[in-house]
Amino acid sequence: MKKYIMAFDSGTTSCRTLIFDSEFNIISSAQKELKQIFPKPGWVEEDPNEIFSTQLGTAVEAMAKMNINANDIAAIGITNQRETTIVWDRQTGEVIYNAIVWQCRRTSKYCDSLREVGYRDEIYKKTGLEVDAYFSATKIKWILDNVSGARERAERGELLFGTVDTFLIWKLTKGVHVTDYSNASRTMLYNINTLEWDDELLKLMDIPKSMLPEVKETAEVYGETAREFFGEEIKIASAVGDQQAALFGQGCFKKAEAKNTYGTGAFLLMNTGDKKVESKNGLVSTIAWGIDGKITYALEGSILIAGSSIQWLRDDLKLIDSAEDSEYLANKVSDTEGCYVVPAFTGLGAPYWNQYARGTICGLTRSVKKAHLVRATLESMAYLSNDVLKAMEEDLGALKILKVDGGASANDFLMQFQADIIDREVVRPKDIESTVRGAAFLAALGVGMFSSIDEISEKFNIDKNFIPNMAAEVRENKLKLWRKAVSRAFDWAEE
């Protein structure tokens, strides 16, 4: 009897592998950071071969820690940073350019031109997405237009495109070229109404259809790993974009249930059931998952910078030694001394979609010390999340509670401030690794360890509830100054 599920969390700043037992307790884990490459201001890349070797290395390490072999593992589930774009040679597997990361803004001007000539509404109706450099389509086009010989090779059928899940599966299986509904829906090329790659959008972007992977369900067996990697074959039985994985891993299986994940960015998703919701407030519609022939949709607000602002404090400004220090320092002061940080390092996502916004610090005086700046940076995550939540509530009605997960959700100061600012209860699970847990649940579903989603509902435990206790006039004053600060960040990088 195979006892374990192995889940890959191929994130933006690190790759991790977690191994779960049959009760979905984590019994082993390994993690390694990824190097990000910044060739120009606003450009973000990674080395696809490093992504693969790092992910594989953490898998081997996690297995070795508990002396687990391939025969013990029922399935691998993959969750991944979304939109990040990789193009490689169909025969050799050689990548033709670095992975262009979802945060990269290099195609902003091309996106502007698409909007200016009137394509915004058509693209939104078909894909559920705003026209933005965030998504994969314009990144693929950039590679074909800027890498020598790439377009000719693509038109001859020699090149393949994939998001990170697709690249990992292709490498592990030696040639299975697939993705799932959740990842396909983030490319700005996939029609989420008809569930097919959209020929008109491919023509608009000048991308050959032969490059694209086959789209499969979110929980099914896609293939088996080549024997050379783990000694024996292991089934790969789920692939899911990280934010949809967190929605699943939080048990948001019913319509109107929502979660916010605080990772590199922050992502607030609400389950909208079997209906795509067209937002009037700057949110995107996306496919949450496809299981047993049924598609579940979600409404999403994407905050481009969240946890990475804490990395900025740690690695670049050297104001803290570790992410945990941010909570200690934030609690050393009673407020931010009127200081507001808008971490728009790569523009602003939902609900603003301002590609040319840049990071801004407002309200600086000589009385602002290190602790105030750290606290203001933490508070910015809660303010940005509130902006998205209010937009979501305007589209779909009031939310009762907000489920939270991701690394920064371990910060009690931030979670209490989040509850205060949204004036809603915030609920944190015992296991804040909802993203990778979602991938594990889906892989187990893919190999028949669960007969239905209902069985998974029994696997959730709450760690802590945060109840709002901020006076209404204090909240409103803070939000008024926050809105003022955000307005100062708009359009800074526009020529």
Side-chain angles (χ1 to χ4, degrees), residues 323-375:
E324 291 73 24
D325 289 347
S326 64
E327 182 174 3
Y328 168 77
L329 279 168
N331 281 316
K332 295 277 281 184
V333 289
S334 59
D335 57 28
T336 67
E337 201 67 25
C339 172
Y340 285 76
V341 174
V342 183
F345 304 142
T346 57
L348 285 166
Y352 303 106
W353 296 108
N354 192 300
Q355 303 191 94
Y356 301 105
R358 287 297 178 266
T360 307
I361 303 174
C362 295
L364 279 180
T365 59
R366 280 293 300 272
S367 57
V368 173
K369 307 288 192 295
K370 175 167 79 168
H372 299 114
L373 191 61
V374 170
R375 180 174 175 134

Side-chain angles (χ1 to χ4, degrees), residues 1-3 63 69-74 230 232-234:
M1 181 71 183
K2 293 181 189 285
K3 297 174 283 208
M63 290 168 71
N69 63 47
N71 289 322
D72 297 322
I73 297 172
F230 304 112
E232 294 290 339
E233 294 95 347
I234 305 174

Side-chain angles (χ1 to χ4, degrees), residues 46-79:
E46 288 174 351
D47 177 353
N49 293 317
E50 185 194 351
I51 293 172
F52 176 69
S53 62
T54 302
Q55 189 63 68
L56 183 62
T58 63
V60 171
E61 183 184 340
M63 290 168 71
K65 278 182 180 176
M66 296 296 290
N67 199 24
I68 292 167
N69 63 47
N71 289 322
D72 297 322
I73 297 172
I76 293 170
I78 297 173
T79 183

Side-chain angles (χ1 to χ4, degrees), residues 14-79:
S14 72
C15 291
R16 299 185 302 159
T17 297
L18 279 74
I19 299 177
F20 295 81
D21 65 17
S22 57
E23 293 301 309
F24 288 85
N25 302 304
I26 297 166
I27 59 152
S28 187
S29 66
Q31 178 169 358
K32 190 177 177 190
E33 288 204 357
L34 285 173
K35 182 186 172 194
Q36 288 200 302
I37 302 159
F38 305 100
K40 294 182 184 179
W43 290 32
V44 190
E45 299 177 358
E46 288 174 351
D47 177 353
N49 293 317
E50 185 194 351
I51 293 172
F52 176 69
S53 62
T54 302
Q55 189 63 68
L56 183 62
T58 63
V60 171
E61 183 184 340
M63 290 168 71
K65 278 182 180 176
M66 296 296 290
N67 199 24
I68 292 167
N69 63 47
N71 289 322
D72 297 322
I73 297 172
I76 293 170
I78 297 173
T79 183

Side-chain angles (χ1 to χ4, degrees), residues 25 38 41 62 72 120 147 165 171 223 262-263 286 297 301 364 366 375 397 399 417 422 444 458 465 467:
N25 302 304
F38 305 100
D72 297 322
R120 184 267 170 196
V147 175
D165 59 306
K171 294 278 281 185
Y262 304 79
T286 201
Y297 293 92
L364 279 180
R366 280 293 300 272
R375 180 174 175 134
L399 188 73
F417 190 76
I422 65 174
E458 300 159 17
N465 299 53
I467 308 299

Side-chain angles (χ1 to χ4, degrees), residues 165-353:
D165 59 306
T166 299
F167 184 66
L168 291 176
I169 293 168
W170 193 90
K171 294 278 281 185
L172 287 165
T173 60
K174 302 282 193 177
V176 173
H177 190 220
V178 298
T179 190
D180 90 299
Y181 289 116
S182 72
N183 280 297
S185 75
R186 309 301 297 183
T187 59
M188 215 166 78
L189 295 170
Y190 193 70
N191 190 316
I192 65 172
N193 310 297
T194 62
L195 304 182
E196 59 193 0
W197 297 115
D198 193 281
D199 289 329
E200 289 177 356
L201 294 181
L202 287 167
K203 187 177 177 185
L204 174 65
M205 306 284 175
D206 200 12
I207 295 169
K209 198 171 191 175
S210 60
M211 295 180 73
L212 303 178
E214 183 183 355
V215 182
K216 299 272 207 175
E217 293 210 337
T218 311
E220 70 169 283
V221 176
Y222 308 129
E224 296 182 338
T225 61
R227 187 169 292 189
E228 69 192 65
F229 295 120
F230 304 112
E232 294 290 339
E233 294 95 347
I234 305 174
K235 290 173 179 167
I236 302 174
S238 76
V240 58
D242 52 10
Q243 300 315 315
Q244 293 98 321
L247 191 70
F248 198 90
Q250 280 271 34
C252 296
F253 302 145
K254 293 178 183 161
K255 190 174 174 181
E257 292 185 323
K259 67 87 201 173
N260 198 22
T261 298
Y262 304 79
T264 302
F267 301 87
L268 208 158
L269 273 75
M270 183 184 285
N271 184 325
T272 63
D274 59 3
K275 297 282 190 298
K276 181 187 85 169
V277 171
E278 291 195 2
S279 173
K280 295 179 174 59
N281 296 285
L283 305 179
V284 302
S285 276
T286 201
I287 295 178
W289 48 77
I291 297 171
D292 291 336
K294 294 177 186 168
I295 299 295
T296 297
Y297 293 92
L299 199 61
E300 173 174 333
S302 308
I303 297 160
L304 305 181
I305 299 291
S308 54
S309 65
I310 305 305
Q311 278 185 316
W312 168 67
L313 293 176
R314 183 192 70 192
D315 299 342
D316 302 316
L317 299 191
K318 311 292 185 191
L319 293 182
I320 54 176
D321 294 323
S322 69
E324 291 73 24
D325 289 347
S326 64
E327 182 174 3
Y328 168 77
L329 279 168
N331 281 316
K332 295 277 281 184
V333 289
S334 59
D335 57 28
T336 67
E337 201 67 25
C339 172
Y340 285 76
V341 174
V342 183
F345 304 142
T346 57
L348 285 166
Y352 303 106
W353 296 108

Side-chain angles (χ1 to χ4, degrees), residues 383 386 421 475-483:
Y383 287 127
N386 177 70
I421 284 298
R475 179 186 308 111
E476 196 42 56
N477 189 53
K478 286 180 181 294
L479 287 168
K480 186 169 84 173
L481 287 169
W482 165 253
R483 287 189 284 268

